[in-house]
Amino acid sequence: MSESPPLASKKCPNCHQWSIWQQSPNDRCEHCGELLDPQAQKSAVAREKLANQKMPSVVLMEINPEDGPIKRFFKTIVRGGQLAFAAILSFIVWVVAVVAG
């Protein structure tokens, strides 16, 4: 026996009639066809757009091939400092997470 989700009803903000509502942002009124929860639809679209955005990667100093040897040397030192800083912060976050349980 398959269980169906419990039915709920919601009053349409457009025609003010009660319709079956599955608590989905895409649910429409049985009478007029308008969205039962237009705010949820906008929120779902915004959430999807945010999820599809490219996440920024770690910003490390770039070492270009046309840089001179002295410039590449100092950029390598700065990049090493950036990586060490990120590693120390990651370790501190890990310790706090372990202690917090």
Side-chain angles (χ1 to χ4, degrees):
M1 204 152 88
S2 67
E3 290 186 34
S4 62
L7 295 177
S9 60
K10 184 168 180 127
K11 195 172 191 178
C12 177
N14 189 37
C15 68
H16 305 290
Q17 297 289 325
W18 289 94
S19 295
I20 294 175
W21 184 44
Q22 298 289 329
Q23 300 181 359
S24 169
N26 300 329
D27 286 341
R28 295 193 172 272
C29 177
E30 298 170 343
H31 306 282
C32 67
E34 291 293 318
L35 289 172
L36 288 176
D37 197 356
Q39 279 300 105
Q41 176 69 16
K42 289 177 188 174
S43 176
V45 168
R47 214 175 312 119
E48 183 177 330
K49 194 181 293 184
L50 184 63
N52 290 337
Q53 285 182 349
K54 184 178 177 185
M55 296 297 291
S57 62
V58 177
V59 181
L60 294 175
M61 180 172 283
E62 290 190 30
I63 301 173
N64 300 321
E66 62 268 4
D67 289 341
I70 295 173
K71 195 172 188 181
R72 277 188 283 161
F73 173 74
F74 285 113
K75 281 188 172 183
T76 303
I77 291 173
V78 170
R79 183 186 277 188
Q82 288 177 320
L83 291 173
F85 179 71
I88 291 169
L89 282 181
S90 297
F91 178 74
I92 291 171
V93 169
W94 176 78
V95 168
V96 168
V98 167
V99 169

